Amino acid sequence: MDALTNHGRAIRVAATALGLTLLLAGTAWGDDDHFPFGPFRMYSTSDPADADAPDTRVEGVDTTGAVVDLGERATGIRRAEIEGQQAQYAADPSRLREVADAYARRQPDAPRLTEVRIVIRWHDITDRRPTGLWSDETVVRWQVNP
């Protein structure tokens, strides 16, 4: 077939117009969650020159008192999943039970956890350069019930 029918051409023009309309509306009123029709703002902005850089981690304390890294290797839960739901964990710290349970499944011989917490390490930045200084902030804490 060398040429489109009038019906086929009309469908393609309508689909193109709909796509462009969604793209323009997403650009004007959309958010990152509306991708690919919304703007990807995370790449179009930057932090102030002296804004501290956050580094989020999940850690626990076991029955021996040792601090345990509860990262992806230990639990199977990616850091991005924790960061994306940080507000929900703050609203209901008992949700950190999921992390403790995942750790127990993957590390069956390890000492039991007594506490799970989300900690942000704030790296000091001055004039867009790291200074080597940092401070830790525990933003969510959950005590494991026996």
Side-chain angles (χ1 to χ4, degrees), residues 12-28:
R12 286 187 181 188
V13 168
T16 300
L18 176 63
L20 288 173
T21 301
L22 288 171
L23 185 63
L24 290 173
T27 299

Side-chain angles (χ1 to χ4, degrees), residues 26-106:
T27 299
W29 299 286
D31 202 352
D32 288 344
D33 293 338
H34 302 127
F35 182 81
F37 298 107
F40 223 31
R41 289 190 178 104
M42 65 187 285
Y43 294 115
S44 66
T45 61
S46 65
D47 292 327
D50 292 331
D52 292 345
D55 181 14
T56 304
R57 70 181 185 274
V58 181
E59 63 185 28
V61 178
D62 66 20
T63 54
T64 69
V67 175
V68 180
D69 176 24
L70 299 177
E72 185 174 359
R73 285 182 173 233
T75 64
I77 301 172
R78 296 181 331 194
R79 182 173 92 174
E81 294 175 50
I82 299 293
E83 289 176 336
Q85 298 181 41
Q86 188 171 316
Q88 289 89 346
Y89 286 114
D92 182 11
S94 69
R95 291 187 67 217
L96 287 172
R97 176 184 303 279
E98 301 165 357
V99 177
D101 291 345
Y103 176 75
R105 280 191 304 274
R106 287 187 145 214

